[in-house]
Amino acid sequence: MLTKILTDVIKILTSPECLFFSALIISFLAWKKAFARKLLLITILLAWFCGNGLIPALLAYTLEKEVPATLQEKELYNHHAMVILGSGISTSPFKTEPSISGYSRIMKAITVYNQAKKLGLHYTIFISGGVTSSQPISEAAAYKQQLTAAGIPAEQIITEGKSKNTFENAQFTIPLLQQHKFTSALLITSATHMPRSVKCFEHFGMHVKPVAADFLWPHIHWFPRSYNIAITSIALQGLWVLYHLDIWLKLKDEAFVAY
């Protein structure tokens, strides 16, 4: 619980909206000092270039450039399992369902499953994601409902409903893969999420083939748009987490070797 609270606080503090607002407040409070005017100008320029799509395009490209845009048919013969990583649940007064990015991952899994089925291949689908909303249902359980509604047999779907983050997705799903004698799998998640997802699975010794469910890209325009600010926030969070994940895994490996 404490980890989730700290993570949420960090997400808020490192969001573009919070950073811009904080910079504006500092600028106005210290207006009589020379640095305040420079800070205000820099803040306005950064906000403009984030809003018009140039900065989020650079950030998204950094995360997505190594992720394959398509899955080659021959790759389907090399794996017989796929892993879907959860991306939250949307709760409203009307309905509880997977988030928008969650739906894109579900649709990609359905597409890949049916493509493999046409080739005579039977895939086992692993869904990883715990309870991340105010509702008691886990991401894995909610996504499974969508898959079975699309005609995928329930016995072909295995759920992991404990994980709260990407590291735990890998940590808790890999034993299930090994239990069912799988040594590799297709990994389905968003392209911006793929670099750190692959890193986590490889850390636990599991080979995965990236299958991007979606690619985020801003609407580049002369005038700022809120959609571009949202992409900036997602990409910044992805890069920030990936950077610290690199450091944390490196330190952990070094500690293990030293031990």
Side-chain angles (χ1 to χ4, degrees):
M1 185 66 179
L2 180 60
T3 302
K4 186 180 186 304
I5 293 174
L6 289 174
T7 302
D8 290 341
V9 170
I10 291 172
K11 285 181 181 178
I12 294 171
L13 292 178
T14 57
S15 67
E17 300 89 339
C18 184
L19 293 174
F20 292 149
F21 182 74
S22 300
L24 288 175
I25 293 297
I26 294 172
S27 297
F28 286 117
L29 290 177
W31 184 249
K32 293 184 179 181
K33 297 183 179 181
F35 84 90
R37 297 178 183 84
K38 294 178 181 179
L39 179 61
L40 179 60
L41 178 60
I42 292 171
T43 301
I44 292 173
L45 289 174
L46 285 175
W48 185 275
F49 287 117
C50 283
N52 73 8
L54 292 180
I55 290 179
L58 177 62
L59 296 175
Y61 178 77
T62 301
L63 286 168
E64 299 177 343
K65 62 182 179 180
E66 301 296 336
V67 181
T70 58
L71 176 66
Q72 299 296 322
E73 185 177 285
K74 62 181 181 180
E75 286 290 345
L76 291 172
Y77 291 95
N78 299 330
H79 315 275
H80 295 281
M82 70 177 82
V83 178
I84 309 172
L85 300 187
S87 184
I89 292 177
S90 175
T91 58
S92 72
F94 315 104
K95 192 176 182 181
T96 298
E97 60 185 339
S99 65
I100 294 175
S101 56
Y103 267 121
S104 71
R105 300 176 191 187
I106 292 168
M107 291 306 299
K108 175 59 72 172
I110 293 171
T111 300
V112 172
Y113 182 88
N114 288 331
Q115 185 180 357
K117 188 176 179 180
K118 288 180 180 179
L119 298 173
L121 305 172
H122 297 282
Y123 264 71
T124 301
I125 301 176
F126 294 79
I127 314 173
S128 179
V131 177
T132 56
S133 70
S134 58
Q135 299 300 315
I137 188 171
S138 68
E139 294 174 354
Y143 292 17
K144 181 178 180 178
Q145 291 176 358
Q146 300 298 321
L147 292 173
T148 54
I152 297 178
E155 58 269 20
Q156 293 297 114
I157 304 171
I158 298 170
T159 58
E160 179 286 298
K162 299 186 299 180
S163 55
K164 302 292 186 182
N165 53 52
T166 308
F167 186 82
E168 290 184 354
N169 286 150
Q171 184 180 21
F172 299 151
T173 303
I174 288 175
L176 294 177
L177 286 163
Q178 293 172 337
Q179 180 182 334
H180 289 81
K181 310 302 182 185
F182 292 111
T183 57
S184 65
L186 302 178
L187 183 61
I188 299 178
T189 188
S190 302
T192 52
H193 185 228
M194 191 66 75
R196 67 181 189 269
S197 301
V198 171
K199 189 174 293 292
C200 287
F201 274 80
E202 289 181 345
H203 173 74
F204 288 102
M206 177 61 66
H207 171 67
V208 290
K209 173 64 180 178
V211 179
D214 53 73
F215 286 81
L216 279 180
W217 199 252
H219 296 306
I220 298 178
H221 197 268
W222 284 106
F223 295 99
R225 300 186 178 189
S226 58
Y227 174 75
N228 294 338
I229 298 294
I231 292 183
T232 304
S233 182
I234 293 171
L236 274 177
Q237 178 193 338
L239 288 168
W240 183 87
V241 173
L242 182 62
Y243 172 76
H244 286 278
L245 181 66
D246 280 336
I247 295 175
W248 186 70
L249 291 180
K250 182 179 180 182
L251 291 174
K252 191 171 184 180
D253 288 341
E254 289 175 352
F256 178 78
V257 171
Y259 178 80

